[in-house]
Amino acid sequence: MMSETSSSQQEISEGLATVRTVGNVFYNPVQEFNRDLSISVIRTFTRLFKDEQEEKNSKKKNEDNIVVTINKDTPEAGVKCEDGITILEALSATGLRSIRYAKEIPGVREIIANDISFKAAQDIKNNVALNGVENLVQPSHNDAVMLMYEHRKEKQFDVIDLDPYGCPTIFLDSAVQAIKEGGLLLITATDMAVLAGNSPETCYSKYGAISLRMKSCHEMALRILLQCIESHANRYGRYIVPLLSLSADFYIRVFVRVYSGAHKCKFTTSKLSHVYHCTGCDSFLLHPLGILKKNDKNKNQVKFGIPTGPPVSGKCDHCGHPHHIGGPIWSAPLHSPEFVQEVFDTASEKLGTFRRIQGVLSVVLEELLDAPLYYTLERLSGTIHVEMPPMMALRSAILNAGYKVSFTHMNKTSVKTNAPPRIVWDIMRCWAKAHPVSKKRLVDGSPASHILAIEPEKDYSFEIRPDANPASRKMGYVRFQENPAPHWGPGSRATAMVGEQKIQKSRNNQGKRKREVSQESTIEKME
């Protein structure tokens, strides 16, 4: 909730926090879901991390024959916990997120709310005092990258939250060094046009991967970001384990743990793949950078190898069109089901976006972990110009064929399956036989003409199965956000750091092209 306290001062209330700011400091109420979910994830991580530390200390003390005493006091939110976690919010702006963390997450020792803007740092200081959390939140006026580099050796953080405007990659090198062993990184990216394939050359320069324009571009964006984080971590003998990866509204958000181990880093090549995407029918195949082989002599030992390939011929086997090659992307699981289940079970109903958290996590728990990327119902039907089958019919056909299928939280009409493309297209051919395509639509050389010219290997059944309808759909959970009209979209960058001269120049340029066209039109009429 936002209100005006004076002509230039704004008051923002969200969760248990209230902040005040003067001038144009970026705040988007759509991001409440982001903050609510982050609170739920950090709460769960804090409990898990504390249990791991206690178990580790207990083993060490038992080995040294020391009497073990475990503090079983339940920590309270808003109260400083001396053996609690430390959190860095590197790009804090008003301090709203850090203040909410302080007031709503138990087991916290210290939170550093940092911003490079002097004005923002002053706002953070004032808002910390306004909310009475000086015991937990320490305002900081510093360059985020330098601040994290200062903590890469000593006083590393248990949790680092990076929520920048746009691309987060400039912060990753310092972040993967400043996080403790087993610590939690929360990273947001809002430059979706770059990640979703509109500018693959820019995506490579920023993330080290080629993005592709395909229906599953939002999942590809997540997987590009994860491979980028893994790449930065590997340089320092570290690697990541994703806990939860989300595409929501106009951004992506990942929650990953960071561990150390040079040997474990060797497994990275088997977690990354190039994507071969057909330009005609939107089919895709993944080709891993590395493969794992079992040692015949020692089954506990793994050999690392390089795959042969490519997995596709010069033209698509289904529609005869060429392929684009993208990636590398993260092709290992996006989530930890056990962790997501814990967050789902313990999320507070007091959170403003609780129903959406419940709905999104329910779909995440149903997603196939071993089937990267997805099709969409309308694209499958549109490619061959056939009447769109009911979603439950298509899902049933895939299940009847002996394969798995699921939705994904990223798209309402998503079809995520471990069925190979030839099976998917065979199923669509069977549907087209029962619902004939107009011959006028079958243009020579088109994807539809190529696909439908091939006879299906067998007749697939579209008989509806009860297990085709997932629990999240039956329960009627709020799974996908509708456009929240007044504040939809990423908004504009905060102007707290922008000089007055630049702001004035921007204002002068507003509508400049329309004015020029209007002037040209007036001159022409006078002539």
Side-chain angles (χ1 to χ4, degrees):
M1 185 174 68
M2 186 184 296
S3 62
E4 295 286 338
T5 57
S6 68
S7 58
S8 60
Q9 191 177 71
Q10 294 178 339
E11 186 172 284
I12 302 163
S13 294
E14 186 181 284
L16 299 180
T18 298
V19 297
R20 291 175 185 162
T21 182
V22 178
N24 184 14
V25 174
F26 180 71
Y27 170 75
N28 194 335
V30 176
Q31 289 278 52
E32 183 179 1
F33 170 71
N34 182 323
R35 290 181 281 269
D36 284 354
L37 182 62
S38 299
I39 288 168
S40 300
V41 168
I42 296 175
R43 279 176 177 166
T44 302
F45 166 77
T46 302
R47 292 192 299 271
L48 178 66
F49 194 60
K50 184 179 180 183
D51 290 344
E52 290 175 352
Q53 294 298 107
E54 287 179 352
E55 184 179 354
K56 186 177 178 181
N57 293 336
S58 178
K59 286 182 180 179
K60 187 175 181 181
K61 289 177 180 178
N62 286 335
E63 289 174 0
D64 297 337
N65 295 321
I66 300 173
V67 177
V68 180
T69 56
I70 299 175
N71 181 13
K72 294 186 178 181
D73 294 338
T74 303
E76 184 180 343
V79 178
K80 190 181 185 72
C81 180
E82 292 301 333
D83 60 346
I85 64 168
T86 56
I87 302 174
L88 168 66
E89 189 194 0
L91 309 154
S92 194
T94 61
L96 173 63
R97 188 185 296 258
S98 289
I99 292 167
R100 288 198 63 190
Y101 286 174
K103 301 186 83 169
E104 300 178 44
I105 299 175
V108 174
R109 182 169 86 241
E110 183 183 41
I111 300 170
I112 295 180
N114 177 72
D115 204 284
I116 195 171
S117 163
F118 176 76
K119 181 196 172 301
Q122 288 297 113
D123 278 347
I124 294 168
K125 185 176 180 181
N126 294 335
N127 289 323
V128 166
L130 175 67
N131 287 268
V133 289
E134 300 97 322
N135 61 323
L136 287 173
V137 182
Q138 178 185 333
S140 168
H141 174 220
N142 209 330
D143 180 283
V145 173
M146 295 309 299
L147 177 61
M148 287 187 283
Y149 275 137
E150 289 172 4
H151 288 261
R152 70 187 188 275
K153 297 285 187 181
E154 298 177 356
K155 296 182 179 180
Q156 292 174 309
F157 300 101
D158 298 300
V159 177
I160 296 178
D161 192 331
L162 295 171
D163 193 354
Y165 184 93
C167 177
T169 54
I170 60 172
F171 305 104
L172 296 183
D173 188 79
S174 54
V176 295
Q177 296 182 74
I179 196 76
K180 275 185 185 175
E181 178 70 9
L184 178 68
L185 280 181
L186 302 84
I187 301 173
T188 301
T190 63
D191 55 338
M192 292 303 294
V194 170
L195 285 163
N198 284 0
S199 183
E201 64 283 353
T202 304
C203 187
Y204 184 81
S205 67
K206 290 184 174 182
Y207 294 91
I210 296 292
S211 57
L212 297 174
R213 293 189 71 176
M214 54 194 302
K215 284 297 181 180
S216 55
C217 60
H218 290 93
E219 182 174 335
M220 192 163 184
L222 278 171
R223 295 183 179 278
I224 286 174
L225 176 57
L226 287 173
Q227 74 81 27
C228 186
I229 301 169
E230 175 82 346
S231 173
H232 282 85
N234 283 173
R235 295 166 196 171
Y236 304 99
R238 312 193 85 178
Y239 62 97
I240 65 169
V241 176
L243 299 180
L244 176 61
S245 308
L246 291 179
S247 172
D249 304 327
F250 52 84
Y251 61 90
I252 56 174
R253 176 83 158 163
V254 297
F255 305 82
V256 303
R257 296 190 71 176
V258 181
Y259 296 94
S260 300
H263 178 68
K264 288 284 186 179
C265 290
K266 293 182 179 181
F267 288 82
T268 293
T269 54
S270 62
K271 300 175 187 176
L272 304 178
S273 298
H274 285 293
V275 180
Y276 288 80
H277 171 238
C278 175
T279 58
C281 65
D282 220 34
S283 299
F284 55 85
L285 282 171
L286 272 66
H287 193 226
L289 270 65
I291 55 175
L292 304 178
K293 300 178 182 177
K294 289 186 178 179
N295 191 328
D296 294 333
K297 296 180 180 179
N298 185 353
K299 292 183 179 180
N300 294 325
Q301 193 176 40
V302 174
K303 285 186 176 181
F304 301 96
I306 299 174
T308 57
V312 296
S313 57
K315 296 288 181 70
C316 175
D317 295 336
H318 314 291
C319 73
H321 281 62
H323 294 88
H324 281 156
I325 305 174
I329 65 168
W330 178 269
S331 50
L334 292 175
H335 322 287
S336 164
E338 298 79 14
F339 184 86
V340 175
Q341 185 66 60
E342 183 71 16
V343 177
F344 179 85
D345 292 338
T346 59
S348 172
E349 295 183 16
K350 295 179 181 179
L351 294 170
T353 60
F354 169 74
R355 290 184 67 245
R356 188 182 176 196
I357 290 174
Q358 185 184 49
V360 169
L361 294 186
S362 69
V363 182
V364 167
L365 287 167
E366 294 166 350
E367 287 181 13
L368 296 179
L369 292 176
D370 57 349
L373 307 181
Y374 56 87
Y375 303 94
T376 62
L377 184 61
E378 66 273 14
R379 178 59 175 159
L380 288 172
S381 306
T383 298
I384 57 175
H385 309 299
V386 72
E387 176 186 328
M388 190 182 298
M391 178 61 83
M392 291 305 106
L394 180 60
R395 287 169 60 92
S396 295
I398 294 172
L399 292 170
N400 290 331
Y403 295 94
K404 299 176 183 178
V405 65
S406 77
F407 282 109
T408 169
H409 72 278
M410 304 174 213
N411 192 298
K412 289 182 180 181
T413 60
S414 55
V415 180
K416 181 181 277 288
T417 178
N418 64 343
R422 64 179 180 82
I423 299 296
V424 174
W425 285 120
D426 262 5
I427 290 172
M428 293 304 297
R429 290 184 188 106
C430 289
W431 177 261
K433 280 192 170 185
H435 304 80
V437 181
S438 171
K439 292 183 179 180
K440 294 179 181 179
R441 308 298 300 274
L442 299 179
V443 180
D444 288 342
S446 68
S449 64
H450 275 86
I451 291 170
L452 295 179
I454 303 171
E455 283 294 315
E457 293 180 1
K458 65 177 185 177
D459 188 22
Y460 290 94
S461 170
F462 288 87
E463 183 180 350
I464 302 298
R465 294 172 51 131
D467 55 346
N469 194 14
S472 62
R473 194 168 180 264
K474 291 177 184 176
M475 296 294 289
Y477 286 137
V478 178
R479 298 183 296 156
F480 305 101
Q481 172 100 338
E482 294 182 1
N483 291 2
H487 305 287
W488 179 247
S492 57
R493 187 188 294 269
T495 57
M497 292 169 52
V498 183
E500 285 298 324
Q501 187 177 357
K502 189 172 181 180
I503 296 172
Q504 188 59 46
K505 182 179 179 181
S506 177
R507 287 172 181 165
N508 293 339
N509 286 334
Q510 289 291 322
K512 182 179 178 181
R513 179 60 186 154
K514 288 184 179 180
R515 292 197 302 271
E516 288 175 349
V517 171
S518 177
Q519 288 173 1
E520 289 172 2
S521 177
T522 303
I523 291 170
E524 287 175 2
K525 287 180 181 179
M526 291 175 66
E527 291 175 348

